Amino acid sequence: MATVIATIDLKGGVGKSTTTAAVAEFMSAEFGLRVLVVDLDPQSNLTTMSIGEERWQEVNDQGATAVRPPSIIRSDDTRACTTATDR
């Protein structure tokens, strides 16, 4: 069964993205767990930290981000996906 860990705080600048990235990396590296990180923040800082600014811009230009939701997401297009091993 999956375990859900949520990071939330209504105040900005308190380290939510950094904390979330650190916990995800720790769970993956130390315990060998598969970790899914979902970035719901409109600023997309966690996503940018994970895949880099250039890659984020590429994906956004393709219309495959929440900033510009795609009209159709093809199941064979894995370019918009990243995992801890992609970094």
Side-chain angles (χ1 to χ4, degrees):
M1 175 166 232
T3 299
V4 176
I5 300 173
T7 310
I8 185 168
D9 193 315
L10 299 180
K11 183 169 177 10
V14 295
K16 295 178 295 292
S17 296
T18 303
T19 299
T20 300
V23 169
E25 186 172 358
F26 179 80
M27 299 298 280
S28 176
E30 292 297 317
F31 299 111
L33 299 174
R34 292 175 26 174
V35 178
L36 172 66
V37 177
V38 180
D39 186 3
L40 298 177
D41 190 335
Q43 290 180 328
S44 303
N45 291 335
L46 185 56
T47 301
T48 305
M49 278 194 297
S50 299
I51 65 173
E53 289 181 38
E54 289 180 17
R55 180 68 178 130
W56 184 90
Q57 192 61 57
E58 268 180 49
V59 173
N60 189 57
D61 290 345
Q62 295 170 5
T65 65
V67 175
R68 295 179 52 208
S71 54
I72 299 174
I73 298 176
R74 295 188 345 237
S75 62
D76 64 334
D77 187 2
T78 59
R79 292 174 296 160
C81 301
T82 186
T83 64
T85 58
D86 291 337
R87 288 190 259 149

